[in-house]
Amino acid sequence: MNSERVMNPIERPQVTQELSENVILTTVDDLYNWARLSSLWPMLYGTACCFIEFAALIGSRFDFDRFGLVPRSTPRQADLIITAGTITMKMAPALVRLYEQMPEPKYVIAMGACTITGGMFSVDSPSAVRGVDKLIPVDVYLPGCPPRPEAIIDAIIKLRKKISNESIQERGALRQVHRYYSTTHKMKPVAPILDGKYLEVPTREAPPKELMEAIGMPVPPALLTAQKEDVSRG
């Protein structure tokens, strides 16, 4: 009887086959990532026309609930924020505040050209932020003006693939820390032009001369003098 043992047999070992049928073999990272990518909860956040496409994604035609996405109205229960629309300098502090209130781990999808680079407002707008990645770290960029709901689904699929390959230890090391607001401007504050005092001048308090004559009100002498001068010139 040949008792020679084959080191690398072709068939699957019996012990390993029985073990794999009864025991789930995985890593903590895989289990943790699977739980996160299967239950992304996006926050209901939108500032411009891109949010109309995002709202259409919630409806029954596209039905993004099949991805486990449950829209939330509070940042404390959300782990995904889709910046749908133009971000202005006035809205930037509110966006950063909402992002900071979201629990870790959290993800960002920059949706639309206006969010990524400023879009059509990048040339002549003094208030549009030229890229939301200047404020918060972005995981997936979704270009378009505006992108369709199918494109949002594709961005979510790419984000799920990214989450599946993450490691718990590497997540903290790759966190972006050099966030800053948009480029500094050299504008100087000036005194307001419309201070409301022009409404108090006598010429605006009194009605027109024709109206005063029609309703029988006494016409001020200054208006009569101006009328005489117009007649003499003519």
Side-chain angles (χ1 to χ4, degrees):
M1 181 177 179
N2 189 7
S3 61
E4 184 179 357
R5 182 178 179 184
V6 180
M7 296 299 296
N8 296 315
I10 299 176
E11 64 274 1
R12 179 177 298 178
Q14 190 69 23
V15 177
T16 306
Q17 184 176 1
E18 293 178 356
L19 187 64
S20 62
E21 292 176 354
N22 296 277
V23 179
I24 299 176
L25 299 177
T26 183
T27 61
V28 177
D29 278 338
D30 291 339
L31 184 61
Y32 181 65
N33 293 336
W34 172 81
R36 287 190 293 118
L37 67 88
S38 301
S39 60
L40 288 172
W41 287 9
M43 190 174 64
L44 287 173
Y45 176 83
T47 55
C49 45
C50 279
F51 184 73
I52 304 300
E53 302 296 325
F54 177 65
L57 187 66
I58 305 176
S60 59
R61 179 174 182 178
F62 298 97
D63 188 23
F64 78 158
D65 288 348
R66 64 180 181 270
F67 291 99
L69 278 75
V70 181
R72 308 303 297 172
S73 299
T74 171
R76 291 173 178 83
Q77 299 176 358
D79 55 359
L80 170 62
I81 179 170
I82 301 177
T83 56
T86 312
I87 303 300
T88 59
M89 294 183 183
K90 187 176 182 179
M91 190 65 194
L95 174 63
V96 175
R97 189 180 304 112
L98 290 173
Y99 178 79
E100 295 294 340
Q101 290 177 350
M102 294 169 58
E104 289 284 351
K106 49 193 173 183
Y107 306 94
V108 178
I109 295 179
M111 177 182 176
C114 296
T115 307
I116 298 174
T117 61
M120 67 180 75
F121 307 104
S122 62
V123 178
D124 55 354
S125 175
S127 60
V129 177
R130 272 67 168 174
V132 74
D133 51 1
K134 293 180 173 62
L135 307 173
I136 55 180
V138 177
D139 295 282
V140 178
Y141 293 90
L142 176 57
C145 186
R148 284 185 52 82
E150 294 92 336
I152 307 176
I153 294 176
D154 182 70
I156 293 173
I157 292 175
K158 287 182 171 58
L159 178 62
R160 286 160 59 99
K161 291 181 180 179
K162 180 180 180 180
I163 296 174
S164 64
N165 295 325
E166 281 185 351
S167 175
I168 300 176
Q169 298 177 353
E170 295 177 357
R171 178 69 182 177
L174 298 176
R175 186 180 304 171
Q176 184 180 2
V177 295
H178 57 284
R179 297 197 306 271
Y180 57 92
Y181 288 147
S182 184
T183 56
T184 57
H185 59 78
K186 298 181 180 180
M187 301 179 182
K188 298 180 180 180
V190 296
I193 300 176
L194 303 177
D195 52 2
K197 295 182 179 179
Y198 69 97
L199 297 175
E200 301 176 359
V201 297
T203 56
R204 295 190 62 88
E205 291 180 352
K209 179 176 63 65
E210 294 79 4
L211 180 59
M212 296 178 67
E213 294 177 348
I215 62 179
M217 293 180 61
V219 180
L223 294 179
L224 294 176
T225 305
Q227 183 181 7
K228 294 178 179 179
E229 289 179 358
D230 293 339
V231 173
S232 62
R233 290 176 184 176

